[in-house]
Amino acid sequence: MTENVKLTWNGKEIEAPKGSNLLQAALDNGIEVAHYCYHAGLSVAGVCRMCMVEQDGNPRAFPSCNATCGEGMVVHSDTPKIKAAVEATLQFHLVNHPLDCPVCDQAGECGLQDYYMKHGQYDSQMIDKKVHKEKVQDIGKNVMLDAERCILCSRCTRFTSEVTGTNELGILNRGDHAEITVNENLKNDYAQNLVDICPVGALTSKDFRFKQRVWFLEDVLTTCIGCETGCSVKVSQNKNGSYRVKPVYDHGVNGHWMCDDGRKIYKHVSSPTRLSAASENINGLFIPVDEAGILNSLSDKKLKFILSTGLTNGEYQNFFAKIKGSNAEVALYSLPHEGPEFDGILKRGDKNANLRGAVKAFDQAGFDHSQAALDKVLNSLTKSDALFVVVPEIIYNEDHFNTLIKKVEKAAVALALTPGESLASMRSFKYLLPVPSFLEKDGEITNFQGAGRELRKGLSYGETSKDVSYYAGWVNV
Ligand code: SF4
Ligand code: SF4
Ligand code: FES
């Protein structure tokens, strides 16, 4: 077990693991210390000189990110000497910065802007012209670089060398001509974390830039449904839609990062082409229709259900409780694996966000979740069957899903319950019915570790309050 030490910071007694990072100890104890280059997920560079502190018994100020906690240390970050040092350092960071906050996507969540408000000297002492650098560089993988805004904290270069090992970025030249150099366009699958860790607006997301001001957004803390890792994320939303996904630190699962695939999981939720009301297929066109009428027409049919692996554990339980004692048939459709089993960082080839929860629920209810059971349901469809198919929320391999869809026409009525966007192949269904997306329901899924991961309801963009158990229960099977 790690031994804790007691130290005093600005007169406040705090505790931290012996030998742990001094700056991190302050941050963990709610003490604000200005810093740019330090990031808990990266090595210590000590280059921005913003986190300076004094320690009793030590005549020289030093950067706290590059020091370790020891028993009885007495540390100060609020003395006149430190305040003057931080102000002077900030002036250096601002010497060539364009201060184009009104058109910068980082405004509202920018370390430079925040510290300028706290420690800035407001009136510039510079008489020389600013050094200009390239302002709009597409460096690949959805990331844009504005070299003028960069404060050379080196977080991005350390990320590509330490986390992804791809080394696409470096720092070239010296003094005020130093700048980020792009050895090759970003090629790693985690590139958008660079946008998150850049403390200023030098690295921005092509997908997000100029779409919304951050102060008009609310974050919903939830879980990524992109693969069975189940990273903790936050989705930024407002009443007009969802705009971005960012990782939330989770020690046991994703640490500080998430993959670029996971950044796209929100796109269908507020898409204008997403199904928003029950619709009937009339000669290939889906026309809104009265839902109660549809369900009444199924009363003389044998009901069969194909569930996806994207429901919450609660949804599976409610569903099986509703069909208990009936003669309904139930099977499970799993998404095929994509890419390697595990990429060594976070991404997993199994895209079934809640396969484990689904399997457990099927086992508990005494239903077979195997491919053979799915084939049996599909191959035995007759004109006396009504088949409900819960469509996966994100379909990575349309061809694979279409092999299933091709068979549904053998049922008397095929109904798709869909939380996502409609595919062309869904014309094989007689009815399409909307069900909640992952952002429109509270619940739990089970990740590859067998750990419960929470989904949380954000804003809703359609008539999506009815889930699969509603349909199972309503027709009274
Ligand atoms: S681009 Fe951003 S993260 Fe990279 S060195 Fe510049 S300020 Fe730091
Ligand atoms: S690793 Fe998987 S769960 Fe994590 S962000 Fe990527 S797709 Fe989402
Ligand atoms: S955060 Fe300590 S020197 Fe940059």
Side-chain angles (χ1 to χ4, degrees):
M1 211 171 91
T2 324
E3 187 190 337
N4 269 5
V5 291
K6 285 190 177 146
L7 52 153
T8 309
W9 194 300
N10 294 345
K12 179 182 170 185
E13 191 169 275
I14 62 173
E15 273 191 44
K18 187 177 180 181
S20 64
N21 186 286
L22 188 57
L23 171 58
Q24 190 63 53
L27 300 174
D28 290 344
N29 281 279
I31 299 168
E32 207 185 312
V33 183
H35 62 282
Y36 290 131
C37 67
Y38 176 75
H39 188 286
L42 302 171
S43 63
V44 172
V47 292
C48 76
R49 316 310 272 188
M50 288 289 285
C51 66
M52 302 300 280
V53 291
E54 286 186 279
Q55 182 193 354
D56 283 5
N58 184 343
R60 297 179 62 178
F62 59 91
S64 57
C65 69
N66 204 19
T68 50
C69 296
E71 181 66 39
M73 281 174 94
V74 180
V75 183
H76 309 273
S77 57
D78 60 354
T79 60
K81 184 173 166 183
I82 293 300
K83 283 182 181 166
V86 172
E87 276 178 19
T89 304
L90 190 59
Q91 278 292 92
F92 271 115
H93 285 304
L94 288 166
V95 164
N96 288 309
H97 191 84
L99 285 175
D100 51 355
C101 312
V103 293
C104 178
D105 263 304
Q106 192 84 357
E109 51 186 11
C110 173
L112 203 54
Q113 208 178 36
D114 291 349
Y115 297 147
Y116 180 72
M117 299 307 287
K118 279 208 175 113
H119 310 286
Q121 293 183 3
Y122 296 99
D123 296 323
S124 172
Q125 295 163 10
M126 293 299 295
I127 51 170
D128 299 303
K129 286 194 174 153
K130 287 178 189 273
V131 176
H132 289 292
K133 293 174 186 162
E134 204 173 332
K135 279 199 77 64
V136 189
Q137 290 181 63
D138 182 344
I139 61 171
K141 284 281 190 163
N142 213 9
V143 180
M144 301 294 285
L145 167 64
D146 180 330
E148 280 190 351
R149 292 180 187 155
C150 172
I151 57 162
L152 295 166
C153 71
S154 81
R155 281 185 179 187
C156 57
T157 60
R158 279 177 282 148
F159 180 88
T160 58
S161 114
E162 295 166 14
V163 179
T164 60
T166 43
N167 295 303
E168 296 101 321
L169 304 178
I171 294 178
L172 199 65
N173 296 328
R174 304 181 67 185
D176 61 5
H177 284 82
E179 62 180 299
I180 291 295
T181 177
V182 184
N183 303 327
E184 60 178 320
N185 267 10
L186 296 171
K187 61 183 182 199
N188 71 74
D189 290 339
Y190 293 82
Q192 290 179 72
N193 291 288
L194 295 168
V195 174
D196 302 334
I197 62 173
C198 179
V200 298
L203 296 172
T204 53
S205 151
K206 246 193 271 182
D207 191 36
F208 179 70
R209 57 199 250 126
F210 310 132
K211 300 254 171 66
Q212 277 291 327
R213 281 312 206 174
V214 294
W215 49 89
F216 293 133
L217 296 172
E218 275 175 44
D219 288 336
V220 182
L221 300 178
T222 186
T223 297
C224 176
I225 57 159
C227 78
E228 61 166 359
T229 300
C231 297
S232 288
V233 296
K234 57 186 179 186
V235 181
S236 305
Q237 301 188 301
N238 65 22
K239 63 179 171 37
N240 297 318
S242 300
Y243 292 91
R244 65 179 184 186
V245 185
K246 280 179 176 274
V248 172
Y249 178 73
D250 191 322
H251 182 71
V253 181
N254 53 298
H256 298 273
W257 321 119
M258 69 181 291
C259 79
D260 288 351
D261 292 344
R263 307 269 176 174
K264 302 179 208 150
I265 51 163
Y266 72 93
K267 298 241 172 201
H268 60 283
V269 177
S270 51
S271 161
T273 60
R274 183 176 167 209
L275 184 74
S276 61
S279 303
E280 180 175 2
N281 180 350
I282 299 179
N283 299 326
L285 286 179
F286 280 95
I287 313 290
V289 68
D290 172 43
E291 188 180 74
I294 304 173
L295 297 170
N296 280 328
S297 72
L298 305 181
S299 55
D300 62 336
K301 302 284 182 298
K302 176 170 168 58
L303 295 184
K304 298 185 174 179
F305 292 88
I306 296 174
L307 305 187
S308 72
T309 53
L311 301 181
T312 64
N313 296 336
E315 283 178 310
Y316 287 121
Q317 274 163 16
N318 290 342
F319 171 80
F320 282 117
K322 289 273 173 60
I323 63 157
K324 197 173 177 188
S326 76
N327 65 351
E329 288 180 27
V330 188
L332 183 67
Y333 171 76
S334 307
L335 296 165
H337 284 211
E338 303 282 325
E341 192 57 39
F342 179 49
D343 73 351
I345 301 178
L346 289 174
K347 238 166 72 154
R348 289 187 150 75
D350 191 335
K351 301 297 173 193
N352 297 286
N354 194 20
L355 180 63
R356 277 159 186 75
V359 165
K360 187 174 175 193
F362 270 71
D363 285 344
Q364 281 175 345
F367 283 87
D368 186 350
H369 46 74
S370 69
Q371 178 67 39
L374 173 63
D375 292 340
K376 191 172 160 221
V377 168
L378 286 170
N379 294 332
S380 64
L381 289 172
T382 69
K383 287 301 170 196
S384 53
D385 295 331
L387 175 69
F388 285 84
V389 177
V390 180
V391 179
E393 186 151 349
I394 303 172
I395 294 173
Y396 299 91
N397 184 335
E398 243 183 85
D399 289 344
H400 189 271
F401 187 61
N402 287 347
T403 56
L404 179 152
I405 285 186
K406 274 186 201 137
K407 297 183 178 171
V408 304
E409 285 174 352
K410 288 190 291 164
V413 192
L415 307 97
L417 303 180
T418 176
E421 293 193 276
S422 303
L423 306 174
S425 54
M426 285 189 194
R427 292 203 179 86
S428 298
F429 289 94
K430 179 65 179 164
Y431 298 107
L432 298 187
L433 302 161
V435 289
S437 71
F438 79 106
L439 267 178
E440 291 157 326
K441 58 190 176 190
D442 291 318
E444 185 190 78
I445 58 176
T446 307
N447 78 350
F448 76 105
Q449 300 156 309
R453 313 289 297 147
E454 265 187 73
L455 296 185
R456 292 207 191 91
K457 192 172 179 171
L459 300 169
S460 203
Y461 302 105
E463 293 174 31
T464 48
S465 57
K466 294 160 188 152
D467 65 12
V468 59
S469 59
Y470 166 84
Y471 294 102
W474 203 93
V475 293
N476 199 22
V477 289

